[in-house]
Amino acid sequence: MALLRVAYEPNAHTGQVSAGPGRDGTGRGKIAAGLDIVQPGAARSSGAASVDSMTAVPVREAARVIVLDDDQRVLLLRYDENGGFWATPGGAVTRGETYAAAAVRELGEELGVAKEAVTVEAQLAQRSREHMVGGRTVRQVERYFPARLTAGDINPDRATQPDNIRDHRWWPLDELRATRETVYPRGLAAVVEKFLEHGVPERPVVLE
């Protein structure tokens, strides 16, 4: 998909990207899928061909979204692989695409969320892990961005790439803390709680 290159000015106080009045009337801007966003620390992906210079392990860069609703519930997706697990929406960043733009695109592809409905905030967390893909070891580096949506914004019938998603569910924080089901990333509930209390940290939280 070709990128429409549009520069946005960051809000100096919140770190959010402003592109005109936001959906909630606060003036917070929306990052639309396919837009090439310019903001502090908004690095562009070098693509799937990048390699860790120290280990020669291919690096797969990914953007993930910690979606919250007005009741502070977290949206997670259900997968059946490896005994079943829940995870945040998101996926690979294409070459030259910013992580924030990829996050918005993935919400549309996986959950049918209209790009106009999404407001992505500054990066909240980061996670790096190695796993097998097609018989070879790949290091996946994920950057997590908080966003606000409502249940009405989710429309799986409009999803263009639902992949192996079996279900989606809004999790109250107390249930997320107490569940014995497998949830990725680990420690998600604690990260969300700190975000709700203190906002986006100066440096992204490192997740397991």
Side-chain angles (χ1 to χ4, degrees), residues 59-120:
V59 176
R60 181 178 185 267
E61 299 168 343
R64 295 201 165 274
V65 192
I66 299 176
V67 179
L68 299 170
D69 69 1
D70 290 340
D71 294 321
Q72 318 302 0
R73 297 181 302 173
V74 182
L75 179 65
L76 296 177
L77 310 182
R78 171 73 181 181
Y79 297 87
D80 289 341
E81 293 90 337
N82 302 317
F85 62 92
W86 296 87
T88 56
V93 182
T94 62
R95 183 180 294 274
E97 185 180 34
T98 64
Y99 287 84
V104 177
R105 172 178 53 76
E106 288 287 340
L107 288 174
E109 292 177 352
E110 295 184 339
L111 293 165
V113 178
K115 60 186 180 182
E116 296 82 6
V118 184
T119 299
V120 174

Side-chain angles (χ1 to χ4, degrees), residues 183-206:
V183 174
Y184 295 116
R186 301 188 187 280
L188 178 59
V191 170
V192 172
E193 288 173 338
K194 289 182 180 179
F195 166 68
L196 292 175
E197 184 176 354
H198 302 293
V200 176
E202 292 185 6
R203 295 185 179 181
V205 177
V206 177

Side-chain angles (χ1 to χ4, degrees), residues 2-203:
L3 292 179
L4 174 63
R5 300 188 180 280
V6 180
Y8 285 69
E9 290 297 326
N11 184 304
H13 298 290
T14 66
Q16 295 173 320
V17 176
S18 177
R23 172 165 64 94
D24 57 5
T26 64
R28 291 182 297 185
K30 296 182 281 290
I31 299 178
L35 294 182
D36 193 9
I37 306 303
V38 178
Q39 64 173 340
R44 306 192 197 293
S45 169
S46 58
S50 59
V51 175
D52 187 313
S53 61
M54 298 295 292
T55 64
V57 173
V59 176
R60 181 178 185 267
E61 299 168 343
R64 295 201 165 274
V65 192
I66 299 176
V67 179
L68 299 170
D69 69 1
D70 290 340
D71 294 321
Q72 318 302 0
R73 297 181 302 173
V74 182
L75 179 65
L76 296 177
L77 310 182
R78 171 73 181 181
Y79 297 87
D80 289 341
E81 293 90 337
N82 302 317
F85 62 92
W86 296 87
T88 56
V93 182
T94 62
R95 183 180 294 274
E97 185 180 34
T98 64
Y99 287 84
V104 177
R105 172 178 53 76
E106 288 287 340
L107 288 174
E109 292 177 352
E110 295 184 339
L111 293 165
V113 178
K115 60 186 180 182
E116 296 82 6
V118 184
T119 299
V120 174
E121 299 188 47
Q123 183 183 349
L124 174 58
Q126 184 163 321
R127 175 175 179 255
S128 177
R129 64 186 296 268
E130 292 185 359
H131 59 97
M132 298 297 293
V133 176
R136 67 175 184 172
T137 301
V138 174
R139 175 172 297 165
Q140 179 152 307
V141 178
E142 302 171 339
R143 300 191 189 192
Y144 289 78
F145 298 83
R148 292 279 182 175
L149 293 175
T150 69
D153 293 325
I154 310 299
N155 187 347
D157 291 337
R158 290 200 306 252
T160 57
Q161 295 184 33
D163 299 326
N164 298 319
I165 298 170
R166 298 304 180 199
D167 195 8
H168 71 273
R169 177 187 168 192
W170 293 95
W171 288 70
L173 282 175
D174 56 348
E175 292 186 20
L176 189 56
R177 284 193 301 269
T179 186
R180 294 187 177 182
E181 296 190 63
T182 302
V183 174
Y184 295 116
R186 301 188 187 280
L188 178 59
V191 170
V192 172
E193 288 173 338
K194 289 182 180 179
F195 166 68
L196 292 175
E197 184 176 354
H198 302 293
V200 176
E202 292 185 6
R203 295 185 179 181

